Amino acid sequence: MTKPIQAIRGMNDLLPDAAQRWRRIEQQVIGVLGAYGYREIRLPIVEQTELYRRSIGEVTDIVEKEMYSFADRNGDNLTLRPEGTAGCVRAGIENGLLYNQIQRLWYCGPMFRHERPQKGRYRQFHQVGVEAFGMSGPEIDAELVLMTARLWRALGLTDIALEINTLGTPHSRAGYRTRLVDYFESHQAAFDDDSRRRLTTNPLRILDSKNPALSGLIAAAPSLLDHIDDESRAHFERLKTLLDGAGLRYRVNPRLVRGLDYYTRTVFEWVSSQLGAQATVCAGGRYDGLVEQLGGKPTPAAGFAIGLERLVEICGLSQATSPTDAPVQVYVTMLGERAEREGLALAEALRDRGLAVLCNSDGGALKNQLKRADRSGATFAVLLGEDECQNGLASVKNLRADEAQQQLSQAALGAYLRRRLGLDPA
Ligand code: HAM
């Protein structure tokens, strides 16, 4: 027998029950974003590799070792998007959405990173991303955070905590970087290979290391908060005041540095204690320099992305959303060639009335058809046989309650079922 082809490691199928759960959660997310005036933008999944080099940064894990990049048939260097911010900025510049304008945008879809797969970390994963352009004040940083907090409430999530930090401006960060390198260089003996490499390429990322052998060293490292410029500090203080005013709890984590280079000032992460090692459900921050860096006019911007695999996981754990429900309301059984033909038309007419209808296929004895009807989750079965067709009638059987089978005219069927299903008043 031929060996079946399997999915690529770290890329998962979403089977119908799961897909239904996902859709419901996505719709809740999108509903909250809409309530804050955010509008959808749809972006390509493939972009020029150069876009990510210039935005995420040459010496980040993503660009150095995680991108799915390839040359297409023209020899152009392309990459499957590892995240959405860069593409959104590219589209905003290209379509004239950003200059001197305020934009509140969201997108949703698959992202690709060649990471080592484990629970909560995949090679194809999904994000809902949000980007706000044209606003430099901390109010928009606060809005983004408050919006996510509202979303967790809507989903019934409580076990999720906010961490915030400020990275200052690139200039103030450069001064801090020098201090940090001096500090780490005098303690290099304890370093692992990764940290040694980062010391020259991206020393701030050492603060993010999960290596327990380095935790003492990192805890005693100079703090970025002591080195940032006054304006960034004032921005951060104002953000904290706004969050306090809204009654939102947070923890300032001076070691929160993020894995993408474009951030300036505010960064934040929402972390769940239910997810094990891959605990960050939502992450983002301000990136005031990126639009200009990618060839646009200077434009302040901030945003975040939610990892949907992780969000769906914690929604399941907290039982915040009910398990899948059966969308099918009516199952049409059909006995005989005429009933099969007319049954399809009848089902169409019922769908025209807004009902979710499943038609029997591949024949079978009535008993078998009714078994399938039961398994489908439908509330009512419509029974069509030669006799019914002859007289323009249909029989209706309640599959969920013990009641006498009804026979009524096909013309009256839609109204009857709608009433019985509680869709129209009795
Ligand atoms: P990020 O921190 O790289 O930020 O990703 C955001 C979220 O996507 C993470 O917190 C996590 O929930 C999810 N995620 C990332 N990688 C994986 C993976 N391999 N498997 C499963 N989930 C994953 C960004 O992508 C930025 N573009 C966010 C942003 C938008 N900043 C400003 N605007």
Side-chain angles (χ1 to χ4, degrees):
M1 224 165 66
T2 329
K3 200 168 160 234
I5 294 174
Q6 297 194 320
I8 295 166
R9 197 162 109 83
M11 304 200 180
N12 298 314
D13 303 308
L14 273 185
L15 303 182
D17 279 352
Q20 195 177 20
R21 271 173 57 73
W22 274 63
R23 182 175 291 269
R24 206 177 307 128
I25 291 170
E26 280 164 11
Q27 277 166 351
Q28 269 179 297
V29 176
I30 291 166
V32 171
L33 303 183
Y36 286 77
Y38 285 76
R39 301 179 66 211
E40 184 181 13
I41 183 165
R42 297 199 183 198
L43 302 160
I45 288 174
V46 182
E47 297 272 2
Q48 294 191 39
T49 303
E50 184 61 15
L51 175 68
Y52 301 115
R53 292 192 179 286
R54 276 168 57 182
S55 53
I56 298 171
E58 290 279 359
V59 288
T60 55
D61 282 352
I62 296 177
V63 170
E64 275 186 340
K65 48 188 187 196
E66 295 172 0
M67 293 203 301
Y68 281 89
S69 298
F70 58 96
D72 76 356
R73 285 170 194 278
N74 304 328
D76 293 333
N77 291 320
L78 307 180
T79 293
L80 296 186
R81 62 183 185 193
E83 59 102 53
T85 308
C88 191
V89 170
R90 196 265 315 134
I93 297 169
E94 191 169 333
N95 296 287
L97 299 184
L98 304 187
Y99 183 54
N100 257 343
Q101 295 176 58
I102 284 179
Q103 294 285 354
R104 286 179 164 85
L105 305 172
W106 65 264
Y107 48 84
C108 176
M111 309 289 160
F112 302 84
R113 297 183 193 174
H114 196 274
E115 297 192 78
R116 198 166 48 77
Q118 55 173 260
K119 191 169 180 301
R121 190 164 73 190
Y122 308 99
R123 291 182 173 171
Q124 175 175 323
F125 59 98
H126 298 77
Q127 288 183 343
V128 172
V130 167
E131 315 293 353
F133 295 99
M135 293 163 278
S136 58
E139 297 75 23
I140 192 68
D141 310 28
E143 177 181 286
L144 292 170
V145 169
L146 290 175
M147 190 161 71
T148 44
R150 175 177 296 277
L151 179 60
W152 313 145
R153 284 199 302 278
L155 291 167
L157 302 176
T158 46
D159 202 359
I160 183 162
L162 174 64
E163 298 194 348
I164 59 173
N165 192 22
T166 179
L167 300 180
T169 60
H171 182 70
S172 67
R173 207 153 63 226
Y176 173 67
R177 186 188 148 117
T178 313
R179 275 292 312 276
L180 197 64
V181 171
D182 287 348
Y183 168 78
F184 279 138
E185 268 180 343
S186 53
H187 297 85
Q188 259 196 70
F191 269 24
D192 52 31
D193 286 350
D194 223 25
S195 306
R196 201 160 291 121
R197 191 171 51 82
R198 281 180 169 155
L199 191 57
T200 45
T201 57
N202 202 347
L204 264 70
R205 288 288 287 165
I206 300 173
L207 298 175
D208 221 19
S209 167
K210 303 285 182 290
N211 183 349
L214 296 180
S215 62
L217 195 59
I218 289 169
S223 172
L224 175 56
L225 282 174
D226 297 333
H227 292 81
I228 60 164
D229 55 291
D230 290 344
E231 274 182 35
S232 295
R233 194 187 309 280
H235 186 103
F236 194 51
E237 287 307 316
R238 178 86 186 126
L239 171 64
K240 288 196 289 183
T241 308
L242 292 170
L243 297 181
D244 291 338
L248 203 72
R249 292 178 53 186
Y250 57 85
R251 183 171 85 89
V252 175
N253 175 2
R255 309 287 174 228
L256 182 65
V257 289
R258 310 277 300 123
L260 306 98
D261 276 357
Y262 48 63
Y263 291 107
T264 53
R265 295 192 171 160
T266 311
V267 288
F268 65 89
E269 292 191 358
W270 285 94
V271 182
S272 164
S273 60
Q274 297 175 301
L275 284 173
Q278 306 303 319
T280 308
V281 181
C282 167
R286 182 164 276 287
Y287 50 95
D288 289 338
L290 184 59
V291 176
E292 190 177 12
Q293 208 173 307
L294 290 178
K297 299 257 169 44
T299 306
F304 64 80
I306 298 170
L308 281 173
E309 280 75 5
R310 297 181 193 180
L311 181 63
V312 171
E313 171 78 14
I314 53 172
C315 284
L317 291 173
S318 72
Q319 295 294 309
T321 50
S322 57
T324 53
D325 48 19
V328 176
Q329 296 160 316
V330 180
Y331 191 101
V332 182
T333 70
M334 300 172 281
L335 280 180
E337 192 269 332
R338 177 168 176 189
E340 281 174 3
R341 189 163 22 89
E342 293 185 12
L344 290 186
L346 184 63
E348 283 299 304
L350 295 179
R351 293 187 187 109
D352 288 344
R353 304 285 312 252
L355 296 168
V357 184
L358 216 63
C359 276
N360 188 70
S361 61
D362 292 343
L366 181 62
K367 197 165 151 230
N368 284 336
Q369 294 197 29
L370 284 172
K371 262 193 205 154
R372 291 178 203 151
D374 187 43
R375 274 203 304 267
S376 76
T379 310
F380 289 101
V382 169
L383 281 50
L384 269 191
E386 195 63 33
D387 274 1
E388 278 92 354
C389 290
Q390 201 100 79
N391 301 306
L393 299 174
S395 299
V396 177
K397 182 176 167 58
N398 189 333
L399 297 166
R400 309 295 155 199
D402 197 11
E403 58 182 51
Q405 202 167 295
Q406 301 278 323
Q407 202 170 52
L408 56 158
S409 84
Q410 290 183 9
L413 190 61
Y416 174 79
L417 288 169
R418 283 190 63 85
R419 224 172 29 250
R420 291 299 315 275
L421 286 161
L423 301 172
D424 288 337

